[in-house]
């Protein structure tokens, strides 16, 4: 028998901390009003929060001037849970259009400088009051913001901080045939949500689902459960009232909420972006996955910039150099994406016969094999005269 002693066990998992999902870090650019306290929320000033309570401490409350922003943040944390990182910034909706808020302004520059490229998905939403100009089935200002949103994403990709943007599609006119068809466009980094728990697009809910999911996971994954108990299009009509037109709305490139017979609650129809189905990056997941690949490869190869590249007597790159570089990229992607099920595989190749002496450039080819999705399941059901004869 052991000697007399006191044994003390330390309990764990009581503080509600969550594992950090850096791939799902989101931002919210939303119209609102400044606090009288300069240390709290201000127009054009980025803040990072980890809970709804922190937003409320910044004067974003459910009954104050920023109730509109509060609802989106509340929706975000109802899905992502307390502890998730969310960057928020208000813009003046009375003075600025969505396009102006998204433009290359000092405020947006400050937003990305403060967040240091951590924000991978940005939700953008404006509270519209009064009579607005409408075109192509939505408030015109929303459609006008798509091109600046794509331009912002392109600019972030150029500095190796890839970004996707989700716009709140406000002011749906109920005329589905009038909705602009984005399947003929090429805005592969921008998505449009036209439904929510009220007539306001639930951008916060969508961001919350992204924040809690691995990068390859679709927001429409049924196994993850419903996101809300009621759902309306942004014209205020219950989504079921247009159930016979869901396919048409989907085929024009929009994200909305839908239900399934026998399943409680509402689910996102898909995560498509505003481009053709033939575009490799026609979904938030496709853009998110390739964005993570970009960041990993950049971080891996930046260490080799301006390093010596030794050549064989024939002038081709030495095999040891090629194997070393290929191994570095392969190892990084295997550890950070293949092992976690975010991609199915990849192939790294460096052509040894490159004129490195002539142009001081080394080209690397990387092919990524993504995961597939069971977006369409077809089952044939019928009677048979024998269970041993599958042809009947």
């Amino acid at each position: 028998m052991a000697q007399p002693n006191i044994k003390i066990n330390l309990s764990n998992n009581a503080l509600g901390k969550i594992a950090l999902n850096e791939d799902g870090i989101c931002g919210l650019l939303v119209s609102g009003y400044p606090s009288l306290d300069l240390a709290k929320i201000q127009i054009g000033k980025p803040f990072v929060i980890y809970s709804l309570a922190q937003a409320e401490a910044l004067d974003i409350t459910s009954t104050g001037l920023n109730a509109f922003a509060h609802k989106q943040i509340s929706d975000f944390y109802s899905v992502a849970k307390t502890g998730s990182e969310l960057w928020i910034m208000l813009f003046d909706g009375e003075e600025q259009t969505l396009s102006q808020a998204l433009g290359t302004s000092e405020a947006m520059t400050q937003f990305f400088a403060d967040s240091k490229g951590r924000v991978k998905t940005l939700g953008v939403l404006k509270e519209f009051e009064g009579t607005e100009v409408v075109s192509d089935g939505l408030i015109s200002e929303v459609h006008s913001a798509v091109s600046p949103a794509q331009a912002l994403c392109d600019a972030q990709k150029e500095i190796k901080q890839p970004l996707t943007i989700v716009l709140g599609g406000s002011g749906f006119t109920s005329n589905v045939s009038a909705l602009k068809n984005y399947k003929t466009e090429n805005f592969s980094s921008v998505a449009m949500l036209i439904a929510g728990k009220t007539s306001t697009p639930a951008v916060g809910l969508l961001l919350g689902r992204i924040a809690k999911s691995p990068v390859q996971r679709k927001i429409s994954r049924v196994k993850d459960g419903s996101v809300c108990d009621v759902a309306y299009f942004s014209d205020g009509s219950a989504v079921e009232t247009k159930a016979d037109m869901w396919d048409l709305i989907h085929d024009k490139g929009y994200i909305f909420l839908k239900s399934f017979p026998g399943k409680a609650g509402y689910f996102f129809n898909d995560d498509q972006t505003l481009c053709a189905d033939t575009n490799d990056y026609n979904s938030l997941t496709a853009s998110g996955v390739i964005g993570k690949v970009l960041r990993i490869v950049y971080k891996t190869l930046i260490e080799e910039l301006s390093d010596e590249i030794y050549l064989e007597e024939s002038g081709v790159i030495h095999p040891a150099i090629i194997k070393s570089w290929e191994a570095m990229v392969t190892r990084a992607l295997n550890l950070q994406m293949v092992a976690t099920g975010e991609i199915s595989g990849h192939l790294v190749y460096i052509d040894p016969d490159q004129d490195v002496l002539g142009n001081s450039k080394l080209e690397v080819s990387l092919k990524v094999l993504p995961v597939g999705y069971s977006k369409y399941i077809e089952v044939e059901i019928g009677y048979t005269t024998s269970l041993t004869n599958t042809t009947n």
Side-chain angles (χ1 to χ4, degrees):
M1 182 178 293
Q3 61 180 320
N5 200 355
I6 297 175
K7 182 179 180 181
I8 300 177
N9 295 318
L10 299 181
S11 64
N12 202 348
N13 301 321
L15 296 181
K17 293 185 176 181
I18 63 171
L20 180 62
N21 174 20
E22 292 202 356
D23 302 321
I25 294 177
C26 295
L28 180 64
L29 177 64
V30 60
S31 60
Y33 301 88
S35 170
L36 295 177
D37 185 343
L38 295 180
K40 297 182 178 181
I41 198 72
Q42 299 295 320
I43 298 296
K45 183 178 180 181
F47 284 88
V48 60
I49 60 174
Y50 298 89
S51 68
L52 179 61
Q54 287 183 323
E56 293 171 342
L58 292 173
D59 279 353
I60 303 177
T61 62
S62 60
T63 57
L65 290 174
N66 287 312
F68 184 76
H70 182 277
K71 179 59 179 172
Q72 297 298 320
I73 297 170
S74 175
D75 282 349
F76 175 84
Y77 284 109
S78 73
V79 179
K81 306 305 179 186
T82 296
S84 299
E85 182 175 337
L86 177 65
W87 287 81
I88 55 174
M89 188 169 72
L90 301 183
F91 68 93
D92 187 341
E94 296 179 358
E95 297 292 331
Q96 286 183 295
T97 64
L98 285 166
S99 296
Q100 290 169 336
L102 280 166
T104 54
S105 63
E106 182 179 339
M108 287 309 301
T109 300
Q110 191 63 51
F111 180 87
F112 290 114
D114 286 4
S115 61
K116 294 180 171 58
R118 293 174 61 78
V119 172
K120 313 304 189 302
T121 306
L122 178 66
V124 182
L125 190 65
K126 177 176 176 176
E127 182 176 21
F128 291 97
E129 297 177 325
T131 304
E132 301 291 338
V133 177
V134 173
S135 66
D136 294 323
L138 295 175
I139 291 175
S140 300
E141 189 176 320
V142 176
H143 287 304
S144 297
V146 173
S147 183
Q150 181 66 45
L152 179 58
C153 293
D154 291 342
Q156 289 301 113
K157 184 170 63 177
E158 284 297 315
I159 60 172
K160 312 303 184 292
Q161 295 178 358
L163 175 75
T164 54
I165 289 178
V166 178
L167 289 171
S170 302
F172 179 34
T173 63
S174 297
N175 187 348
V176 175
S177 61
L179 276 174
K180 182 179 177 66
N181 181 9
Y182 278 104
K183 290 297 184 179
T184 62
E185 303 292 340
N186 192 33
F187 304 111
S188 59
S189 298
V190 184
M192 179 92 72
L193 174 66
I194 62 170
K197 293 160 64 175
T198 64
S199 60
T200 300
V203 172
L205 276 182
L206 192 153
L207 294 180
R209 179 55 65 92
I210 289 175
K212 70 174 294 187
S213 304
V215 69
Q216 86 289 356
R217 177 116 337 129
K218 286 188 173 292
I219 57 173
S220 54
R221 187 174 187 249
V222 174
K223 193 176 292 185
D224 286 335
S226 62
V227 291
C228 57
D229 296 325
V230 294
Y232 301 88
F233 282 110
S234 61
D235 63 348
S237 65
V239 294
E240 290 89 353
T241 63
K242 295 180 177 63
D244 60 337
M245 305 192 82
W246 285 352
D247 284 347
L248 179 57
I249 298 171
H250 174 92
D251 289 344
K252 289 190 173 187
Y254 297 89
I255 299 176
F256 56 93
L257 292 161
K258 61 176 290 185
S259 58
F260 294 100
K263 293 286 294 182
Y266 293 86
F267 305 77
F268 292 111
N269 64 307
D270 203 351
D271 68 337
Q272 56 192 345
T273 52
L274 304 177
C275 62
D277 289 332
T278 54
N279 191 307
D280 285 350
Y281 310 111
N282 64 356
S283 67
L284 293 172
T285 44
S287 292
V289 167
I290 208 69
K292 183 171 183 177
V293 171
L294 185 155
R295 290 189 295 271
I296 290 173
V297 172
Y298 175 75
K299 186 177 180 180
T300 302
L301 294 183
I302 190 65
E303 298 297 327
E304 309 305 316
L305 194 62
S306 294
D307 198 6
E308 299 89 357
I309 296 178
Y310 294 99
L311 309 177
E312 300 227 89
E313 291 183 0
S314 61
V316 300
I317 303 171
H318 196 285
I321 296 292
I322 292 178
K323 289 184 178 180
S324 174
W325 281 44
E326 289 178 343
M328 282 188 297
V329 176
T330 296
R331 186 183 309 112
L333 290 174
N334 281 345
L335 287 173
Q336 298 180 57
M337 297 193 76
V338 177
T340 56
E342 294 170 352
I343 57 175
S344 298
H346 59 89
L347 178 65
V348 186
Y349 173 71
I350 298 176
D351 184 356
D353 192 16
Q354 297 186 44
D355 186 14
V356 179
L357 286 178
N359 56 30
S360 298
K361 180 173 70 174
L362 179 64
E363 296 181 351
V364 180
S365 172
L366 172 61
K367 302 296 182 182
V368 177
L369 182 65
V371 300
Y373 298 95
S374 53
K375 289 177 60 175
Y376 306 99
I377 301 175
E378 183 174 333
V379 181
E380 182 176 334
I381 300 176
Y383 289 113
T384 182
T385 59
S386 172
L387 295 178
T388 60
N389 184 352
T390 57
T391 62
N392 290 342

